Amino acid sequence: MLQIKDLTITHKYDLRVILENFNLVLNPGDKAVIIGEEGNGKSTLLKWMYQPELVEDYAEVEGERVCTGERLGYLPQELPEEDRDKSIYEFLCEEEMFWETDPRELSKLASRLHVPVEFFYGEQKMGTLSGGEKIKIQMVRLLLGQPTILLLDEPSNDIDIDTLEWLEKLIRETTQAVLFISHDETLIEKTANRIVHLEQLCRKTKSRYTVANMTYDEYLKSRNLNFENQKRKAENDRREEDKRQEKLRKIMQKVHNEQNSVSRQDPHSGYLLKKKMRAVKSMEKRFEREAEDMTEAPEEENAIFFRLSKEAVMPAGKMVLKYDEECLKTQDLRVLSENVHLWVKGPEKVCIIGKNGVGKTTLLKQIASELLERDDIRAAYMPQNYEELLELDKTPVEYLAQVGDKEEITKIRTYLGSLKYTADEMNHAMAELSGGQKAKVLLLKMSLSGANVLILDEPTRNFSPLSNPVIRKILSEYSGTIISISHDRKYICEVCDTVYELTKEGCVLQSKEQFKG
């Protein structure tokens, strides 16, 4: 059992309370997911639960963590910098159970993860692996340690669809408690039996959390129903209060008029009116007490508001991409795929899927390099690693500003506000922001550029389950061309017209139907 008692986390830089008086008990069999908007403290909470020292640099923490006799296994959102130069073999050897595990068990695990068992003994540096391969190797080392509680920060990021299905099965069937963060709605829907929802209300000045013992679908339905009922009751209470105040106003006006017209020679009438006025004042106090018990309008952290430029139009049938490559290679000339042919016309929305390590990101980088140089289209690129484009020492406003005049700065700050940035966060260096907040900056830059071709590597990977439907709707309504990589099954079904699987033999057309349900 892992128990958290009265946990309060405060951000050191802007003194914002991320979490207040948080309580949670994690028992065997619990499959709990932490959801919430970007920057709401999900990763910070998970880090603190694993090892409180991990958040000391940027957070003040009060609270108690009870974890007697448990072995915690933690998957960080990003591979630690100190592990990037280790070979796969060196990385796995740091878990002593790697040496004691039966080779047949290692072979079974490799098969489930769709990698050859020799991969575990490879000399390739961890930092050079694809995003999905990094997750797989970290999960291998984690599971070999036989933890009793799994704490997983974005385990679904970048892994291929076959491995996603393995992860779903692992979470569902393991007897250990699992607490995970994910933006993959399909994964959450298929695995979670508890929901931990972290919210920041009133422009991130007030924190709120909810723990619900139900599935994600049940939680959304229950949450929406409760909000509707509370909203309806608050509106009814407000109407009744308006009626009471109108009644009180009329009575007071009448008594005032009678007091003004009563003659000084009629003291008895004056006495009665004073008595009547005291009764009216008593009624006013009673109404005030009743108003204190009125149902308040529900507070809700809304999803982000965002739109792409309406001017980003791609003429139907225009040849956007004609990519023909006999041999797709890495920088060190390792062959990834052969006979890769990909033709895209406007305003087609294309998704490229494929197993981890097959070269999807390498392919997309080559496509981006070609399209960004073209004069007949306006292309914009979102890489898998945001730091390839972001200048991390700059604030979001500084990075997005082209001219720097007052009008432009005001417009940018307004746009950032619609993406749930606080004034303080707009002035933070981007190195301090979460992955989702960095993704928002890149999306906004794309919108401001007026691009009519978007090249997107895992565009939904860092947005919350509540904001991802908004992102999908925006991209599905976009009138330009999209060339993307994604393993998000809802994104594939709702946004993309055409799906290709990149294999060692080239691009193979796939049906979207297989990703539904």
Side-chain angles (χ1 to χ4, degrees):
M1 179 185 76
L2 175 61
Q3 184 175 12
I4 308 301
K5 296 181 180 179
D6 299 323
L7 174 65
T8 296
I9 302 177
T10 305
H11 204 287
K12 281 184 177 180
Y13 299 130
D14 54 21
L15 302 181
R16 177 167 61 91
V17 176
I18 299 171
L19 202 57
E20 188 169 21
N21 298 326
F22 176 79
N23 292 278
L24 179 70
V25 177
L26 204 60
N27 292 305
D30 283 345
K31 313 298 166 60
V33 62
I34 305 175
I35 64 171
E37 292 300 318
E38 298 73 35
N40 280 9
K42 302 184 296 297
S43 293
T44 297
L45 171 61
L46 209 64
K47 284 179 185 177
W48 182 86
M49 292 174 72
Y50 173 64
Q51 191 173 319
E53 295 78 16
L54 293 176
V55 305
E56 285 181 349
D57 287 347
Y58 65 91
E60 295 282 353
V61 182
E62 296 178 2
E64 186 178 357
R65 167 180 169 270
V66 181
C67 186
T68 306
E70 299 287 358
R71 293 192 308 277
L72 302 183
Y74 171 63
L75 175 76
Q77 188 178 113
E78 301 288 346
L79 181 71
E81 192 64 36
E82 61 269 21
D83 291 329
R84 296 182 66 84
D85 286 332
K86 296 173 185 173
S87 70
I88 297 171
Y89 181 62
E90 289 171 335
F91 182 78
L92 291 176
C93 282
E94 292 182 354
E95 172 50 63
E96 61 183 40
M97 288 299 295
F98 179 63
W99 294 94
E100 299 179 21
T101 303
D102 189 302
R104 287 173 297 182
E105 289 301 314
L106 282 177
S107 182
K108 286 181 184 177
L109 185 55
S111 177
R112 293 187 194 112
L113 291 170
H114 307 283
V115 295
V117 70
E118 294 79 15
F119 188 61
F120 296 160
Y121 301 91
E123 291 302 314
Q124 188 176 352
K125 301 296 185 185
M126 289 291 294
T128 67
L129 297 176
S130 71
E133 288 173 324
K134 289 172 188 171
I135 296 290
K136 288 179 181 182
I137 294 299
Q138 290 178 91
M139 285 296 296
V140 168
R141 192 173 87 170
L142 193 64
L143 294 173
L144 290 175
Q146 300 179 355
T148 58
I149 295 177
L150 293 171
L151 305 176
L152 309 176
D153 196 344
E154 295 291 358
S156 55
N157 264 8
D158 306 322
I159 58 177
D160 56 49
I161 291 172
D162 287 340
T163 310
L164 267 174
E165 291 172 352
W166 167 81
L167 180 64
E168 288 170 1
K169 190 171 186 290
L170 171 72
I171 295 175
R172 274 198 313 267
E173 297 181 0
T174 184
T175 57
Q176 297 118 310
V178 182
L179 179 63
F180 67 101
I181 300 168
S182 180
H183 298 146
D184 189 313
E185 292 158 80
T186 306
L187 174 71
I188 295 171
E189 289 166 359
K190 290 185 175 183
T191 60
N193 59 24
R194 299 186 77 191
I195 310 298
V196 181
H197 188 180
L198 309 186
E199 297 179 89
Q200 293 281 306
L201 308 171
C202 305
R203 295 185 179 274
K204 297 192 177 183
T205 61
K206 179 180 175 183
S207 68
R208 179 174 72 188
Y209 77 91
T210 304
V211 178
N213 298 319
M214 58 184 72
T215 66
Y216 185 61
D217 284 342
E218 290 170 339
Y219 175 68
L220 290 183
K221 290 174 185 174
S222 173
R223 174 182 167 84
N224 291 336
L225 181 61
N226 289 338
F227 271 118
E228 285 301 317
N229 289 340
Q230 185 178 344
K231 182 180 178 182
R232 191 160 44 248
K233 193 169 187 315
E235 289 171 350
N236 289 338
D237 287 357
R238 174 53 59 192
R239 280 194 292 270
E240 290 302 314
E241 170 65 7
D242 290 343
K243 289 179 184 177
R244 289 195 297 267
Q245 291 300 323
E246 180 62 18
K247 177 182 176 182
L248 181 65
R249 187 188 65 77
K250 288 179 178 179
I251 293 173
M252 291 189 76
Q253 185 64 44
K254 183 178 178 182
V255 174
H256 276 302
N257 290 339
E258 289 175 351
Q259 283 181 323
N260 291 335
S261 62
V262 71
S263 170
R264 290 185 179 181
Q265 282 73 38
D266 188 2
H268 180 68
S269 295
Y271 169 75
L272 291 177
L273 286 171
K274 285 183 180 180
K275 190 174 181 181
K276 196 172 183 179
M277 180 56 79
R278 283 197 295 271
V280 173
K281 292 291 186 183
S282 177
M283 181 189 295
E284 182 180 26
K285 289 180 180 178
R286 177 165 58 83
F287 285 173
E288 287 175 356
R289 289 194 297 272
E290 290 176 1
E292 291 175 359
D293 296 327
M294 282 173 51
T295 303
E296 294 185 3
E299 291 182 300
E300 182 176 10
E301 183 182 41
N302 296 317
I304 62 173
F305 175 78
F306 180 72
R307 64 169 56 122
L308 290 166
S309 172
K310 292 182 178 180
E311 299 175 2
V313 177
M314 177 60 66
K318 178 179 174 62
M319 182 59 74
V320 175
L321 175 69
K322 192 174 180 181
Y323 182 91
D324 296 290
E325 184 64 59
E326 295 305 317
C327 194
L328 180 66
K329 299 178 181 179
T330 61
Q331 287 184 338
D332 59 4
L333 302 182
R334 181 166 53 92
V335 175
L336 298 168
S337 180
E338 296 180 313
N339 299 314
V340 182
H341 305 288
L342 189 63
W343 293 13
V344 180
K345 293 183 178 181
E348 193 175 6
K349 296 179 175 67
V350 172
C351 182
I352 302 168
I353 64 170
K355 298 188 184 303
N356 294 130
V358 76
K360 300 184 299 298
T361 292
T362 300
L363 171 61
L364 203 69
K365 283 183 178 179
Q366 291 188 12
I367 290 171
S369 177
E370 177 183 326
L371 297 186
L372 289 169
E373 295 297 319
R374 292 255 298 270
D375 294 328
D376 60 324
I377 59 174
R378 296 189 305 280
Y381 174 46
M382 173 187 276
Q384 188 180 99
N385 178 9
Y386 306 141
E387 296 180 10
E388 291 178 22
L389 295 183
L390 295 177
E391 299 171 63
L392 297 181
D393 58 331
K394 289 187 175 181
T395 68
V397 176
E398 290 170 342
Y399 176 74
L400 292 167
Q402 296 294 313
V403 180
D405 60 25
K406 184 177 180 181
E407 182 180 351
E408 183 190 42
I409 297 298
T410 300
K411 182 171 75 170
I412 289 170
R413 294 181 75 88
T414 301
Y415 287 149
L416 288 169
S418 72
L419 290 172
K420 314 293 285 184
Y421 274 85
T422 66
D424 283 330
E425 287 169 339
M426 295 178 200
N427 295 322
H428 282 178
M430 283 188 290
E432 301 169 14
L433 302 179
S434 70
Q437 289 171 310
K438 292 172 184 173
K440 289 176 182 177
V441 172
L442 286 177
L443 275 179
L444 184 50
K445 190 173 184 65
M446 286 182 169
S447 178
L448 294 173
S449 74
N452 57 7
V453 178
L454 302 183
I455 308 156
L456 310 173
D457 197 339
E458 295 284 0
T460 60
R461 67 194 284 263
N462 276 311
F463 291 102
S464 80
L466 299 175
S467 284
N468 255 327
V470 178
I471 298 296
R472 292 196 300 270
K473 187 172 187 295
I474 291 163
L475 293 176
S476 68
E477 294 174 352
Y478 175 61
S479 54
T481 296
I482 296 176
I483 304 171
S484 60
I485 295 169
S486 184
H487 302 121
D488 181 338
R489 289 154 285 186
K490 289 185 182 291
Y491 170 84
I492 293 171
C493 293
E494 295 176 21
V495 176
C496 303
D497 308 312
T498 311
V499 181
Y500 292 99
E501 181 178 6
L502 181 64
T503 69
K504 290 183 178 180
E505 292 76 36
C507 287
V508 180
L509 188 64
Q510 298 288 327
S511 167
K512 288 201 312 181
E513 298 303 312
Q514 63 182 299
F515 306 110
K516 293 182 178 178

